[in-house]
Amino acid sequence: MIFYGGDYNPEQWDEAVWDEDVRLMQQAGVTMVSVGIFAWAKLEPREGEFDFGWLDRVLDKLHAGGIRLDLATATASPPPWLTKAYPEVLPVTEDGTVLQVGSRQQYCPSSPILRSLTERLVSKIAERYGNHPGLQMWHINNEYGCHVSHCYCAVSADAFRSWLRAKHGSIDALNRAWGTGFWSQGYSDFDEIFPPSAAPTFRNPGQLLDFDRFSSDALLDCFRAEAAILRAAAPNVPITTNFMGAFKGADYWKWAREIDIVSDDSYPDPADPNSPAFAAMSRDLMRSLGNGKPWLLMEQAPSAVNWRERNAPKAPGQMRAWSMQVVARGADGILFFQWRQSVAGAEKFHSGMLPHAGTDSRVWREVEALGAELKTLAPVAGAKVEARTGIVFDWQSWWSLEQDATPAHLSYVQGVFAWYEALWHLGVPVDFVEAGSDLTTYGVVIAPNLFAASTATLAGLDSFVRGGGHLLVGYQSGITDEDARTTQGGLPRRTPADARHPHRGVRTTAEHRPHRPQHTAPTRGDHWCVDG
Amino acid sequence: MIFYGGDYNPEQWDEAVWDEDVRLMQQAGVTMVSVGIFAWAKLEPREGEFDFGWLDRVLDKLHAGGIRLDLATATASPPPWLTKAYPEVLPVTEDGTVLQVGSRQQYCPSSPILRSLTERLVSKIAERYGNHPGLQMWHINNEYGCHVSHCYCAVSADAFRSWLRAKHGSIDALNRAWGTGFWSQGYSDFDEIFPPSAAPTFRNPGQLLDFDRFSSDALLDCFRAEAAILRAAAPNVPITTNFMGAFKGADYWKWAREIDIVSDDSYPDPADPNSPAFAAMSRDLMRSLGNGKPWLLMEQAPSAVNWRERNAPKAPGQMRAWSMQVVARGADGILFFQWRQSVAGAEKFHSGMLPHAGTDSRVWREVEALGAELKTLAPVAGAKVEARTGIVFDWQSWWSLEQDATPAHLSYVQGVFAWYEALWHLGVPVDFVEAGSDLTTYGVVIAPNLFAASTATLAGLDSFVRGGGHLLVGYQSGITDEDARTTQGGLPRRTPADARHPHRGVRTTAEHRPHRPQHTAPTRGDHWCVDG
Amino acid sequence: MIFYGGDYNPEQWDEAVWDEDVRLMQQAGVTMVSVGIFAWAKLEPREGEFDFGWLDRVLDKLHAGGIRLDLATATASPPPWLTKAYPEVLPVTEDGTVLQVGSRQQYCPSSPILRSLTERLVSKIAERYGNHPGLQMWHINNEYGCHVSHCYCAVSADAFRSWLRAKHGSIDALNRAWGTGFWSQGYSDFDEIFPPSAAPTFRNPGQLLDFDRFSSDALLDCFRAEAAILRAAAPNVPITTNFMGAFKGADYWKWAREIDIVSDDSYPDPADPNSPAFAAMSRDLMRSLGNGKPWLLMEQAPSAVNWRERNAPKAPGQMRAWSMQVVARGADGILFFQWRQSVAGAEKFHSGMLPHAGTDSRVWREVEALGAELKTLAPVAGAKVEARTGIVFDWQSWWSLEQDATPAHLSYVQGVFAWYEALWHLGVPVDFVEAGSDLTTYGVVIAPNLFAASTATLAGLDSFVRGGGHLLVGYQSGITDEDARTTQGGLPRRTPADARHPHRGVRTTAEHRPHRPQHTAPTRGDHWCVDG
């Protein structure tokens, strides 16, 4: 079965409409909904006072209607009472601005108070619903880091120091890794280190890179704390959290190892002619992150979104076409944000499966039609995509390439996309691969902008070539190691005449072409190739 | 008589020049000046130490010279001693920046300390000058909200909560109005609410809209406090405060009901070919706000201003032409900022009636000529403009349309101007009308971007059409009610075939045309029309 | 001898490479290096714990290798322990953001704690190395004000008040100079004054101008404190601090009087065709600042920098050509930032004399070749450039012209450059001259954008013309006096027919031409000329 459905936020509505919701879901062919993502304030309206009655009722209605449950842990947005009582939970930006309640995700990922209140809520949900017969999967939090991927508050500063202690072991090792000999930055103690807040000029690249890693890990720790509770309470229920395509704030390779089902939120611009190719890249990235695990499209828009400068609706048939692309690229579910379009709130102008206009509308008719069509595609669920071409996608390089004070301001994702798009037009199936991972199943591997490459990664690429693989290395690759320290003695290269540095790929330094790199056609067993 | 004159700030000058000022005023035909707008620091140089001697002398000189007095309450800019002693008076921006002394208007409108110091000053002025024989009118404060229309400090937060309590009555009602079921924003108590400060992402639209209303009301309360004192002391002296054309920060419909004479500050760009049409709109808005009350042009520039990127002087004759436009659109006075151009300070490069160059200058000669010409126009003072066409101008829709997270980023004023400009070119006189007001005197009513329309407003429009009026409704109208909650079940429409929803206007949703809407020619008794 | 070398930061490297450094310096013809600029953290790794052993060793190696020492005072960037222990040292921006450790220059120039820790460090350096046989000159701090030229913290506010007291004497005098009668800004006491932090709207021009002066002086006081220690310890060793061409934050005329050798850091964009002319202007400014003192190019890049949006490398021969320009314009030294390109840190992508690629590289070969060529140019060291044309370069006018709320937003440096460039193309040698300085040696003096001109300056220009000189005065000149108070009674002019105002230059007011002013050819003894 290919799951079909969307976010269902019944707490926005009077209970009176819930029966209609279930009836219309059935009519549309909905088979699964994500419930409770933003329900914390309704489940715990005052600190320690829990009210699960309404959720019991809505879940039972859904189950009775044959709708499976992707049940959320409701931790995505702390309720107002929480940040009022504990303002130290509020996140702080690079320049010291405290972000206030009134939107969503207003929390510091490293906050122990937030952690403890989160764990209490999740424990109650796990205990109450872990054996619910409708439960298909757990949905932890929501779009981790979407708005607050980095927090610069004092609590985060302490957590960063702990993370650095664990990683570097000694302050001497950190000083060496960060190159603090430059600009008089030598630390005598971890206590002297701060997050890379606003500073007079360019900040230390090693500090920035470690802070990107720490920030991804701080969010991942939030995930882990919730997952541990859910796994203990319901060992057989799979767990997901929704990714956001190529999202800079979280190293999804590391995350994907800890979840059971990869899921993605994807909002290509209906008015952008590049969207089909760019969306395909996102699908293939999700499939690749799972590395054989199932993946779902957790969120897409039935029509327009509400957060662009101008929000084009989807043209007739566009939503269907893009949904089919998702299925073709291996997804086992197509879900939307959200079931019933909001009457109020910040996303009231974001389209819903059931729009403001009701069922007498094109959007609803397309939603119904897709539900019916997906039923006929049940046989493809679980089918695998086979690719012989891999593209290295590397968060370390992304973070490094896009720092300030680099040779040029480039976009990592655009750099990867330039390669992906060419292959997409040729119809070549592509996997994305983690730097340093096993490449033996590939005939061709492309490494665009592999800016930060560890010795192990370079050795792996070398070994791939020695084993007969074709490797294409893009511009601005191998520029630094994993500590943001620059490669010395010339850049990685390997040619027939110069095999002294077997761990180094060929590159050009004279210029970089961020868009549409030219590349030579790979020939089996050939030496490493180069763009341009 | 058509009043003629300008802001007169004698506190910038040695007393030695005051006699020359009066003499040159007489020479230029000046009949009224606005005195004391920024005189607080000079009237109360230290807390509680008042010095009115200099003002006594200058007012007497003016009166002796036959110049009428638009006497200010001097509260527009608190003196440095005040914010030094009470730094909590300083306003705070959305991101927490405290705005410091050194320019003007550095106060939180909700500050009780500011209020009490203001009231003491105004009481003394009212008492001292309320029976001055030269007193023509009171000028309260200056350009309320021009630089600080919204304050996010803790005092403002408390005042906002009180305002919300009074408006919504219960926290449940507020939760319903704002749709806090979305994104886990349910409040359990008013104390949990904050101004919509910087937040991780889009803020609650209902909260934003109420904060716009509260902010306009907070300024209006400042006005009311001063007006009450003045009315008690001098019941027969009319009161004004200078508006700023179509100014977003204050709902002037609400304000205009509380003042006796509408006055406007207007600075169209001399280099912008749209300025004549745009300025005409501002004149008609002022006239309409008064709803029969007299109105004045309180400020215009004799030539260049000093706050644009490039500040063009007015071409020969341009100041006269624009002044005549003002008279033609009903104003009973033409005044300038300011009488004598400053030698120092932030507006020293803003032109004055008496420029740096002195009387041997084109600006001075044009000022003299206009004074003479206006004398000949005395008979038109008080004449009324009659219009059979009304355009709805609605601050609720302005605030709502220009929020983030809407279908598209549009300019409310440009949307209104597109309609106005077409009529202006056709020579059709236009009134602006308040949403929900009596429309019976109009043949045609236009509602551009009436984004937020209450049921009562829609009923009024329907009734207007039922009574034989022609109604043209622009794109992005009727999208929400007055609580920013979206219209359900399809948008407002009314056609011969579909009269089931009598309170709804026709509109298109496929696209919007912010510039130059096409509109069908209205036919008497016809059904509601639509642009595009 | 023309000195040749660069910044040498051995603290970035293991001692193992120091011998190679000296050997390669000798190979490249290096004769002087700047050592220790960012060494504070290494010299004083914990408060009060000093470690000079490593510096002893490296200086001895250099001296033994025949490399002269431009020894830095190491105060350019306080170590992390310092701002951790004394966070009040951190600078604060206009909007209240505290700038954190992690880059460089994170200190308030007025901080007494910083001053005292600085003085202790400099005393130890002066005492230890004042008699070092390799010592050629002292290098105080580095690029004063480059990132933090203005600090708005409470300590700076106090220092600003003291500076104002000393300058104005009484609060009445300050109120008069600043024109605080406008906008109710009258101060009753110096304690009520704050730095011109973020405010509701345009700030007082006099306050802004005095804050620019104070900020330059606050940095100069830092310099003076260090210089006094060095002069006491080693009276015969000359002192420099590196300037940054036409740098707005510091009035270098005032600074240059206190240093023995002018030195400049200069980074023209290799990809900008205007760079040769613009760089020439910077060379001539440095030469002129010295007024006969020797000057050096203290820093240029061997090839690319790392802080532009796109950082072009220098083309083959470009570095040599630009270096020769420097020699031709009077410099007695050519130095680079930096000797060995960093492996890590914020400038690792800034080119070095010894690049990442090592000696088998074009950059290294060009560095070697230049070193050899400069040896052959030893005879020109100390030669003087003679110019009969002077261009007034005036920081007071720069600060004033570029304030907000002026007639138009203009660039002072571009205004000066327009004149300079025309003369450069004609091959006319040019001195820059200070406003108010002796002009008797010039045949022609040009005053572009002399916006703020004191009576003494105007009198000097008048006297120059009366003595037979030709004076060209650009647009937007003589607009204010030195207190930012506007000129009254018409602008400075002097024509045969109107000699009543002998201290005033002719100007046009109708328009300004920031680029490429037309100017009439000067004729000896002619009256003052005008552009346009």
Side-chain angles (χ1 to χ4, degrees), chain B residues 129-451:
Chain B
Y129 301 111
N131 296 313
H132 195 289
L135 184 60
Q136 182 68 32
M137 52 195 285
W138 295 113
H139 184 296
I140 290 185
N141 201 279
N142 180 64
E143 296 184 343
Y144 271 113
C146 179
H147 312 297
V148 182
S149 60
H150 295 64
C151 177
Y152 298 79
C153 77
V155 169
S156 288
D158 270 339
F160 183 40
R161 288 175 201 121
S162 300
W163 186 96
L164 291 170
R165 261 189 206 96
K167 175 182 176 185
H168 293 283
S170 73
I171 197 67
D172 287 350
L174 178 142
N175 280 317
R176 207 174 308 118
W178 289 7
T180 58
F182 190 65
W183 279 3
S184 186
Q185 295 174 350
Y187 294 99
S188 65
D189 192 285
F190 284 96
D191 286 346
E192 295 165 8
I193 301 174
F194 287 80
S197 298
T201 183
F202 300 122
R203 289 157 295 181
N204 182 289
Q207 180 188 15
L208 287 168
L209 183 55
D210 271 351
F211 194 64
D212 283 333
R213 288 171 174 141
F214 156 77
S215 297
S216 174
D217 285 357
L219 291 167
L220 183 53
D221 278 348
C222 293
F223 171 87
R224 283 174 179 147
E226 295 198 24
I229 293 166
L230 299 176
R231 293 201 199 285
N236 298 321
V237 181
I239 288 175
T240 194
T241 186
N242 44 342
F243 289 168
M244 292 167 285
F247 171 66
K248 191 175 178 183
D251 180 349
Y252 284 154
W253 291 117
K254 200 166 178 182
W255 284 64
R257 285 193 277 276
E258 312 214 9
I259 66 176
D260 304 311
I261 298 173
V262 171
S263 64
D264 192 31
D265 294 355
S266 180
Y267 294 96
D269 186 350
D272 181 350
N274 271 327
S275 284
F278 199 84
M281 182 168 78
S282 194
R283 316 310 181 204
D284 287 339
L285 177 60
M286 288 302 125
R287 182 178 45 73
S288 304
L289 286 170
N291 198 19
K293 293 176 187 173
W295 83 275
L296 304 174
L297 184 67
M298 183 60 84
E299 294 184 18
Q300 68 174 340
S303 184
V305 299
N306 66 323
W307 40 263
R308 292 198 170 90
E309 182 73 15
R310 308 225 166 228
N311 298 293
K314 288 185 176 167
Q318 193 170 12
M319 184 272 280
R320 173 181 178 258
W322 290 10
S323 298
M324 289 303 158
Q325 180 193 57
V326 174
V327 175
R329 288 176 187 276
D332 295 336
I334 303 285
L335 292 89
F336 294 91
F337 179 85
Q338 59 180 333
W339 164 249
R340 186 185 279 268
Q341 187 171 1
S342 297
V343 169
E347 301 204 63
K348 66 190 176 193
F349 293 118
H350 188 294
S351 56
M353 298 169 77
L354 182 54
H356 291 159
T359 54
D360 183 11
S361 59
R362 174 165 69 84
V363 165
W364 174 258
R365 285 186 287 272
E366 292 192 359
V367 162
E368 270 190 320
L370 181 64
E373 190 170 13
L374 285 181
K375 281 197 173 41
T376 70
L377 291 172
V380 310
K384 299 293 177 198
V385 175
E386 297 288 341
R388 290 272 296 151
T389 301
I391 298 181
V392 182
F393 195 98
D394 179 42
W395 268 264
Q396 321 297 316
S397 290
W398 189 353
W399 294 328
S400 300
L401 180 80
E402 294 186 359
Q403 288 191 357
D404 287 331
T406 48
H409 288 189
L410 301 171
S411 157
Y412 180 75
V413 169
Q414 287 302 318
V416 172
F417 179 60
W419 289 95
Y420 180 87
E421 188 189 17
L423 295 166
W424 181 79
H425 279 294
L426 294 169
V428 176
V430 164
D431 281 350
F432 287 97
V433 297
E434 189 174 5
S437 64
D438 179 20
L439 304 173
T440 48
T441 63
Y442 298 104
V444 175
V445 167
I446 303 172
N449 295 141
L450 189 62
F451 194 87

Side-chain angles (χ1 to χ4, degrees), chain C residues 129-178:
Chain C
Y129 302 111
N131 297 310
H132 195 288
L135 184 60
Q136 180 70 31
M137 52 196 284
W138 294 113
H139 183 295
I140 290 186
N141 202 280
N142 180 65
E143 297 184 343
Y144 271 112
C146 179
H147 312 297
V148 182
S149 59
H150 296 63
C151 176
Y152 298 79
C153 76
V155 169
S156 289
D158 271 340
F160 183 41
R161 288 175 200 120
S162 299
W163 186 95
L164 291 169
R165 261 189 206 96
K167 175 181 176 185
H168 293 281
S170 74
I171 197 68
D172 287 349
L174 178 141
N175 280 316
R176 206 173 310 118
W178 289 8

Side-chain angles (χ1 to χ4, degrees), chain A residues 213-377:
Chain A
R213 289 170 174 140
F214 157 76
S215 297
S216 174
D217 285 356
L219 291 167
L220 183 53
D221 278 347
C222 293
F223 172 87
R224 282 174 180 147
E226 296 199 24
I229 294 166
L230 299 175
R231 293 202 199 283
N236 298 322
V237 180
I239 289 176
T240 195
T241 185
N242 43 342
F243 288 168
M244 291 168 286
F247 171 67
K248 190 175 178 182
D251 179 350
Y252 283 155
W253 290 117
K254 198 166 179 181
W255 285 64
R257 286 192 277 276
E258 312 214 9
I259 65 174
D260 304 311
I261 298 173
V262 171
S263 63
D264 193 31
D265 294 356
S266 180
Y267 294 97
D269 186 349
D272 181 349
N274 271 327
S275 284
F278 199 84
M281 182 168 78
S282 194
R283 317 311 181 203
D284 287 339
L285 177 60
M286 288 303 126
R287 180 177 49 70
S288 304
L289 286 169
N291 198 18
K293 294 173 185 173
W295 84 275
L296 305 173
L297 183 68
M298 182 60 84
E299 294 184 17
Q300 68 173 338
S303 185
V305 299
N306 66 323
W307 40 265
R308 292 197 171 89
E309 182 73 15
R310 308 226 166 228
N311 298 294
K314 288 184 174 167
Q318 194 170 12
M319 184 272 281
R320 173 179 178 259
W322 290 9
S323 298
M324 289 303 158
Q325 180 193 56
V326 175
V327 174
R329 288 175 187 274
D332 294 337
I334 303 285
L335 291 91
F336 294 91
F337 178 84
Q338 59 179 333
W339 164 250
R340 189 185 278 268
Q341 187 171 3
S342 296
V343 169
E347 299 204 63
K348 66 191 177 193
F349 293 118
H350 188 293
S351 57
M353 297 169 78
L354 183 55
H356 291 159
T359 54
D360 184 13
S361 60
R362 174 165 69 84
V363 165
W364 173 258
R365 284 186 288 273
E366 291 193 358
V367 162
E368 271 191 319
L370 181 64
E373 190 169 11
L374 284 181
K375 280 198 173 43
T376 69
L377 291 171

Side-chain angles (χ1 to χ4, degrees), chain A residues 46-83:
Chain A
R46 277 166 209 81
E47 185 172 359
E49 290 182 26
F50 292 89
D51 173 12
F52 287 102
W54 67 272
L55 187 54
D56 293 349
R57 291 193 294 281
V58 79
L59 295 186
D60 289 347
K61 276 181 201 290
L62 289 163
H63 178 56
I67 316 287
R68 303 293 295 164
L69 304 172
D70 170 39
L71 186 58
T73 56
T75 57
S77 198
W81 60 255
L82 193 157
T83 44

Side-chain angles (χ1 to χ4, degrees), chain B residues 9 11-13 38-42 45-46 74 77-81 84 91 95 97-107 147-148 305-311 313 337-338 341-349 355-358, chain C residues 94-96 161 176-188 191-207 403-410 451 479-480 483-490 510 512 514:
Chain B
N9 299 303
E11 64 274 22
Q12 294 181 65
W13 310 92
F38 293 105
W40 193 342
K42 184 111 176 165
R46 277 167 209 79
S77 198
W81 61 256
K84 166 75 180 173
D95 67 355
T97 301
V98 178
L99 300 179
Q100 190 51 268
V101 74
S103 65
R104 69 182 213 189
Q105 211 171 76
Q106 60 282 354
Y107 62 85
H147 312 297
V148 182
V305 299
N306 66 323
W307 40 263
R308 292 198 170 90
E309 182 73 15
R310 308 225 166 228
N311 298 293
F337 179 85
Q338 59 180 333
Q341 187 171 1
S342 297
V343 169
E347 301 204 63
K348 66 190 176 193
F349 293 118
H356 291 159
Chain C
E94 205 175 270
D95 68 355
R161 288 175 200 120
R176 206 173 310 118
W178 289 8
T180 59
F182 190 65
W183 280 3
S184 185
Q185 295 173 351
Y187 294 98
S188 64
D191 286 346
E192 295 165 8
I193 301 174
F194 287 81
S197 297
T201 183
F202 299 121
R203 290 157 295 181
N204 182 289
Q207 180 187 16
Q403 287 191 359
D404 286 333
T406 49
H409 287 189
L410 301 171
F451 194 88
I479 303 297
T480 73
D483 284 327
R485 296 176 65 91
T486 49
T487 304
Q488 300 301 299
H512 34 73

Side-chain angles (χ1 to χ4, degrees), chain A residues 11 40 72 148 169 198 265 270 319 341 352 385 390 406 425 462 466:
Chain A
E11 64 274 23
W40 191 343
V148 182
D265 294 356
M319 184 272 281
Q341 187 171 3
V385 174
T406 49
H425 279 294
D462 184 64
R466 290 178 185 275

